[in-house]
Structure formats: C-alpha cells, structure tokens
Amino acid sequence: MSTASPIAPAASPAAPSPWQGFVAYLTPLRLALALGLAGLAAVMLGPIFIIPFPVLLGRTMFVGLWALLAFAAAGQWPRRLPRWWARWLFQVLVVALAVPVATLLVYLVAVGGDFASLIRSEGRVMGFLWIAGSGLLVGPLLAMGALYRQRDAEARNQALSFELERSELERRALDARLRLLQAQVEPHFLFNTLANVRALVEAGSPQAAPVLRSLIAYLRAAMPRLQDETACLADELGLVKAYLELMHLRMPDRLVYEIAVPPELLRLRFPPMALLTLVENAVRHGIDPSEEGGRIELGGLLEDGQVRLWVSDTGVGLVQQMGSGTGLRNLRERLQVVYGEGAALDLQENQPHGLRAEIRFTP
C-alpha cells in the first residue's frame, strides 16, 4: 500500500550578486529615460548658455548617466547599512552628491584639468551652478520616484511569489490526497476480487482453476498501472476489459458485456480504477445476485465540452445504501480532486431493471 509523500518546503532561488544586481538595473529603458531627461534639461537650459547646444547636450547627458550609475551602485553597495540608515535615503543622498561631482568633472575636462582657470571664469562657474543646481533639483526627485516604482514592483513580485508558492502547496496537497484515496481503492478492489475467487473454489466449480490463473495474469498486468499518474482512458478501458473477461470466465452463461467508447476520448487523462469500480459494482451488486445474470454496457460521448462515461447493467438494480458505499464515495472524491468541483457521479435505475452509473467531467 502506498502512503502519501510528505510536503517538502519549496526551494528559495539564490540571491543575485551585487554586480549582477547592478548590471540588471541598467536596463535599456532606464538608460533611455536618463538620456531623454538629460536632453530635456539641455533644451530648457539652452537659452541661457552661449556654448553650442551639442556641447551642452553632451554635458547634461554625462551628468544624467553618472547620476543613474550612482543610483544603481548605491542600491547594491555596501551590502549592509546601519539599521538607522534606510537604503532609499542612502541612494537619494548619493545621487545628490553625484550630480555636482559629475558637473565638476565635465568642466575640468573642458579646461584641461586646470581648476584655477575654471574658478576664474565667471561664465564657466555660472554654467556649473546652472547644471549642478538643475541636477540637484531634479535628480533626487527622480531618484525618489524610481525608488517608489521599484518598491511597488518588488511588492507585486513578492505577492506573485506568495501566490505561486500557495498554488504549489495546494497542488501538492491535492496530489497527496489523491494518492491517499487511491491507496484506499486498491485493497477494496483486491478483497472483492479474491472473495469472488474464494466463492468459486468453495462451490467446487471446474472454472476455479482457469479463473484463478486468469486473475493472477490480470493482477500481474494491472498492478503497475495503478500508481501511474499519466494513465489515460484507454489504459482504464484495458483494465476493465481484462476484468470483464475474467468475470465472463467465471459465469460464461450469465454475463454479456459491450464496451463502446469513441476513439477521441481514449487519450484523455483518467484516474486509474475509476471505471473499474463501477464495473465491479455492476458485477457484484447487479449481475451476481440475479438468477438470470445480465448485460453490462460501457459507453461514452463528448457533449458540449463535457465528457460523459457510463456503466449500465441489467442486474437487480439499485439496492439500499449502494450510493453511499466506500467505493463510490471514494470515487466521487477522486473525480473532484482530478477534475474539480464540476465532476459528478450519478446513479439511476434502468427500466425495467438494472442500474446506470454515469460520470460527468470537463477535461
């Protein structure tokens, strides 16, 4: 008998390295946004600068890219900050410091590294103040906006991660429940079949030996399929046919059967021993108690997107408490675990006598 496997905790993905996080942050969209805002700043500052616009544009773009790199780096290094210092505040302060530093580098390059020449030029000092001031006004605000979007994205990713983890745990719980239900089916089937063989032996029937050999061959072929999670309806019909042949050997003049299921349904996923439970009930509670025996018909069809499979017999019909037995209750639960709440098993009386059991589900 199989047992339910324990539910192992889901493995957490490995955290990226600081360098990987830094590179991942510099997406083409963010680079384009930084260059676009720097270009807009150049257009706005253009009327008050006497230098050519391409030169001004190059300087503002350099400052914008430098601020973006500083913002991304401050998000990764250092890995740990003091408890009293929030990461977002650290990033905003780094951007505020990076803007004047980048602007100073731009102007030092323009004067060949001569700092004294730079501070003696009133025009360059004013240019430095305009670019650095504009960057200090806009840069921290943009950094805070980016942080807000980043936190919002992280919150949504975390919510999605929790939802995926919850779905996975639910799937594992359903799988464990299905295995437990299936483990209850196997002994139920085996005990009933062995009871039939014992009755045949005790009655001294000459069919006892052939039936026992057929039973052994049937179980040898059937047992490996009982735990097959990929079993399809064709597999199930193979088991049912073998079982009915076995029962026909036992009572050749009292049992007639027919299996007619459309080929398009044969590859559908189907829980092992679901139809076999119904056929077994038809033999045990319908045909066996009847002096005349009877006929068992197994059929199916696809109608309006819903699959209908039925087992109909002409035996003694519905007996009291049959619909609430362990096998049928177990089968209803298994169908709902595999196909959802819409799956159903109905029992109806056949006219003039007999029982029709029908399974309905949406594949």
Side-chain angles (χ1 to χ4, degrees):
M1 178 183 302
S2 64
T3 57
S5 58
I7 299 177
S12 300
S17 66
W19 177 251
Q20 289 173 328
F22 172 75
V23 174
Y25 187 82
L26 300 176
T27 63
L29 178 62
R30 291 188 174 111
L31 290 171
L33 180 62
L35 293 176
L37 291 174
L40 180 62
V43 171
M44 296 178 67
L45 293 174
I48 61 176
F49 276 75
I50 58 173
I51 59 176
F53 178 76
V55 176
L56 176 60
L57 180 62
R59 291 176 179 177
T60 56
M61 283 188 170
F62 177 81
V63 175
L65 286 177
W66 185 276
L68 177 64
L69 294 175
F71 179 80
Q76 303 298 326
W77 295 283
R79 293 301 289 169
R80 292 183 179 179
L81 292 173
R83 290 180 178 273
W84 49 266
W85 201 354
R87 175 69 66 177
W88 69 269
L89 180 60
F90 177 69
Q91 287 181 273
V92 171
L93 291 178
V94 167
V95 170
L97 180 64
V99 169
V101 170
T103 309
L104 180 60
L105 288 175
V106 166
Y107 277 92
L108 284 176
V109 170
V111 296
D114 187 353
F115 183 75
S117 173
L118 171 62
I119 60 175
R120 283 197 301 269
S121 172
E122 183 179 355
R124 289 193 172 95
V125 171
M126 291 303 296
F128 169 81
L129 292 177
W130 272 109
I131 295 177
S134 301
L136 284 175
L137 181 63
V138 177
L141 293 177
L142 292 177
M144 293 182 69
L147 284 169
Y148 174 80
R149 290 176 57 85
Q150 183 178 340
R151 296 293 183 269
D152 183 60
E154 289 176 353
R156 284 188 275 109
N157 288 337
Q158 190 174 34
L160 180 60
S161 176
F162 287 156
E163 180 65 22
L164 290 175
E165 186 175 356
R166 186 183 66 82
S167 299
E168 176 64 14
L169 290 175
E170 286 183 351
R171 187 193 66 78
R172 294 185 185 191
L174 282 175
D175 185 62
R177 185 182 168 197
L178 184 59
R179 288 176 181 276
L180 179 60
L181 290 171
Q182 193 162 312
Q184 295 171 354
V185 169
E186 293 167 27
H188 179 261
F189 165 74
L190 287 176
F191 289 145
N192 285 347
T193 308
L194 289 174
N196 289 333
V197 175
R198 186 185 67 179
L200 202 62
V201 171
E202 290 177 349
S205 170
Q207 291 291 326
V211 169
L212 188 57
R213 283 196 297 271
S214 297
L215 175 63
I216 293 172
Y218 165 73
L219 291 177
R220 184 176 290 121
M223 293 305 288
R225 299 182 180 179
L226 300 182
Q227 298 293 339
D228 187 359
E229 297 180 356
T230 62
C232 62
L233 183 56
D235 298 326
E236 180 71 1
L237 292 178
L239 290 177
V240 168
K241 185 178 180 181
Y243 176 79
L244 285 172
E245 288 177 351
L246 182 63
M247 293 299 104
H248 182 67
L249 274 176
R250 206 194 87 195
M251 39 187 175
D253 54 344
R254 299 177 56 232
L255 174 62
V256 178
Y257 67 90
E258 178 182 1
I259 299 176
V261 176
E264 61 268 23
L265 300 182
L266 298 182
R267 303 316 303 171
L268 291 178
R269 181 192 176 201
F270 198 77
M273 305 191 72
L275 278 178
L276 192 59
T277 299
L278 299 180
V279 173
E280 183 193 6
N281 277 347
V283 173
R284 183 179 175 82
H285 301 292
I287 306 301
D288 247 357
S290 172
E291 292 183 359
E292 298 82 12
R295 178 183 180 86
I296 293 177
E297 294 181 355
L298 196 158
L301 61 84
L302 178 63
E303 186 177 63
D304 297 331
Q306 192 175 51
V307 175
R308 294 169 54 197
L309 297 170
W310 60 83
V311 176
S312 174
D313 71 77
T314 59
V316 298
L318 190 63
V319 298
Q320 192 174 9
Q321 302 301 324
M322 176 182 289
S324 59
T326 301
L328 295 182
R329 185 171 60 251
N330 190 313
L331 176 55
R332 285 191 173 95
E333 289 188 39
R334 293 176 68 205
L335 291 172
Q336 292 186 353
V337 167
V338 174
Y339 299 115
E341 294 295 327
L345 167 64
D346 297 324
L347 302 180
Q348 294 179 343
E349 289 192 5
N350 269 343
Q351 296 300 329
H353 51 79
L355 180 70
R356 177 188 172 96
E358 180 172 307
I359 291 174
R360 289 179 286 106
F361 63 89
T362 302

